[in-house]
Amino acid sequence: AVDIERDELVFFPIIYWPVREDAPALSPQAAARVTAYMQSGGLIVFDTQDADSAAVRAGQPHPGLIRVLESVDVPSLANMPADHVLTRSFYLLDTYPGRFSGGPVWVEADPDGAARDGTSGVVIGSNDWASAWAVGPDGSALYPVEGNERQRELARRFGVNLAMYALTGNYKADQVHVPALLERLGQ
């Protein structure tokens, strides 16, 4: 586990942060560290793990997420568009399930204006991805998924896409130029 208060965050290209409803607010120092981490190229995946019960809040934001982020400089967010680099950073995906499916996934609304080469420093969802990825010592799944094993496979694929995105940024967005580059290299 990463200790936001003490650990040097720069060594982690991606931080998966499960957020409980009773999550405490960050100290001013921790909030400044989280903001600096995201602005310098790190990716934080906030997972409220409650896609199965989020409707109970009737559209109200997750209380723990609000407390965690209230002092963090989070850019404007938008639902992840179908053409976002995260949908194709390794696997081609049009759904992003975890233990649950159907919860929206939020990313930075205008990453092109960011200092991170057009990548989002934050992903927010509620699908409980880590539970879908978790396996025991014998390799068996630790938690059931809402759907079938295909859902677990898609959750793993989204995890791979998150890791690739954190490590390589938006390089997949530039793939349209590959034929021209290969042609030039051949000359």
Side-chain angles (χ1 to χ4, degrees):
V2 175
D3 184 338
I4 296 298
E5 296 283 347
R6 291 185 302 213
D7 292 339
E8 184 55 60
L9 303 180
V10 72
F11 296 117
F12 302 98
I14 185 171
I15 295 174
Y16 178 84
W17 190 323
V19 182
R20 298 179 1 190
E21 285 203 12
D22 62 350
L26 298 179
S27 71
Q29 296 81 6
R33 290 166 53 87
V34 168
T35 298
Y37 171 79
M38 289 189 305
Q39 290 176 347
S40 65
L43 173 64
I44 299 183
V45 179
F46 293 100
D47 189 348
T48 60
Q49 304 172 309
D50 67 341
D52 63 329
S53 62
V56 173
R57 286 195 308 275
Q60 295 299 312
H62 187 275
L65 186 62
I66 294 297
R67 277 190 299 282
V68 167
L69 297 180
E70 68 188 351
S71 57
V72 174
D73 184 14
V74 177
S76 298
L77 300 173
N79 270 317
M80 186 164 63
D83 64 345
H84 194 276
V85 176
L86 258 173
T87 66
R88 63 185 186 278
S89 58
F90 188 80
Y91 291 105
L92 298 176
L93 299 174
D94 59 4
T95 183
Y96 326 103
R99 185 170 176 217
F100 310 112
S101 63
V105 178
W106 298 85
V107 294
E108 191 169 338
D110 182 22
D112 292 331
R116 294 175 314 279
D117 197 25
T119 61
S120 181
V122 61
V123 174
I124 299 176
S126 60
N127 290 332
D128 195 5
W129 293 297
S131 292
W133 303 331
V135 295
D138 63 353
S140 64
L142 291 180
Y143 301 96
V145 293
E146 185 178 67
N148 56 26
E149 286 305 304
R150 176 70 176 152
Q151 179 173 322
R152 188 179 310 279
E153 176 62 25
L154 290 172
R156 289 181 180 135
R157 289 179 181 200
F158 183 61
V160 169
N161 278 17
L162 282 169
M164 291 296 292
Y165 184 70
L167 294 171
T168 62
N170 70 352
Y171 88 101
K172 277 288 190 169
D174 294 331
Q175 293 297 300
V176 295
H177 303 292
V178 167
L181 292 172
L182 291 176
E183 185 180 330
R184 281 179 157 173
L185 289 173
Q187 292 179 354

